[in-house]
Amino acid sequence: QSELTQPPSASGTPGQRVTISCSGSTSNVGGNTVNWYQHLPGTAPKALIWSTHRRPSGVPDRFSGSKSGTSASLTISGLQSEDEADYYCATWDDSLNGFVFGTGTRVTVL
Amino acid sequence: QVQLEQSGAEVKRPGASLKVSCEASGYTFSDFYIHWVRQAPGQGLEWMGWINPKSGGTNYGQKFQGWVTMTRDTSINTVFLELSRLTSDATGVYYCVRESKAVAGLDYWGQGTLVTVSS
């Protein structure tokens, strides 16, 4: 079962920009849109980005997504203390006929 | 509003089986696939498989084939995740999640069910 590759950790001070990468292949990231989820301990994951670029209602505009080839990115512009959480990318995998998640990135606000 | 309500935490012995439920409300049950996602202790999110509530068709990830079964009961808008021949590796939090074609992703999540397998 394949996974998407993310850096295990990222950090920044309040107000800084943090970017998280998500690397896959042509059967997943390269051929499909990417979603991003924020996961806080003890809660269900929350959608931050749908269809690579779209923010669900209520998600602050400091969160943005992009994709190039088989890699995608989530950028947090203007990091805030409440952004400290685990972040996962996810996308459809044509070979799997299902979703595949990234390995997860823990964001720490210094 | 869309809600996915899961059954409560379970503690099981190795070798046992269990069934986790996920009751959907606030939308037309048969119109959206339901996926199951697991998080083992200290690990990331892992896709397990999906069920089509309309047809009952399923697809499981390779790691879950043979010991995981997904079913549904359309009369009560509920999907079930049955785990059999449990080992300690099955310990984790299990989420049911709705897939939306409109957003090309998983939009609504259940609250999660903690499954602990221990002798």
Side-chain angles (χ1 to χ4, degrees), chain B residues 13-72:
Chain B
R13 301 288 192 200
S17 298
L18 75 91
K19 189 178 274 193
V20 178
S21 66
C22 170
E23 181 181 2
S25 61
Y27 70 97
T28 302
F29 177 68
S30 59
D31 285 352
F32 295 82
Y33 282 36
I34 293 291
H35 297 248
W36 288 90
V37 174
R38 177 177 79 170
Q39 184 173 40
Q43 303 298 309
L45 301 175
E46 186 174 26
W47 178 80
M48 299 177 66
W50 54 255
I51 181 167
N52 178 347
K54 180 176 289 185
S55 67
T58 56
N59 182 48
Y60 305 126
Q62 187 174 13
K63 187 174 181 177
F64 301 97
Q65 291 174 6
W67 65 282
V68 164
T69 305
M70 298 176 191
T71 58
R72 94 291 191 213

Side-chain angles (χ1 to χ4, degrees), chain B residues 63-93:
Chain B
K63 187 174 181 177
F64 301 97
Q65 291 174 6
W67 65 282
V68 164
T69 305
M70 298 176 191
T71 58
R72 94 291 191 213
D73 184 338
T74 56
S75 68
I76 55 172
N77 289 354
T78 299
V79 297
F80 300 95
L81 175 72
E82 184 168 10
L83 311 175
S84 60
R85 302 188 302 279
L86 291 169
T87 69
S88 58
D89 289 342
T91 294
V93 178

Side-chain angles (χ1 to χ4, degrees), chain A residues 1 3 33-35 37 39-40 42-47 50-51 54 86 88 90 92 96-104, chain B residues 35 37 39 43-48 50 59-64 95 99 101-112:
Chain A
Q1 195 156 325
E3 279 184 315
T33 61
V34 177
N35 307 296
Y37 300 91
H39 194 198
L40 295 165
T43 69
K46 169 190 173 184
W50 283 327
S51 302
R54 293 170 52 190
D86 294 326
Y88 294 89
W92 187 261
L96 197 61
N97 191 23
F99 280 93
V100 59
F101 281 89
T103 48
Chain B
H35 297 248
V37 174
Q39 184 173 40
Q43 303 298 309
L45 301 175
E46 186 174 26
W47 178 80
M48 299 177 66
W50 54 255
N59 182 48
Y60 305 126
Q62 187 174 13
K63 187 174 181 177
F64 301 97
Y95 296 97
E99 177 190 353
K101 298 297 185 187
V103 303
L106 305 170
D107 59 357
Y108 287 92
W109 295 65
Q111 81 274 25

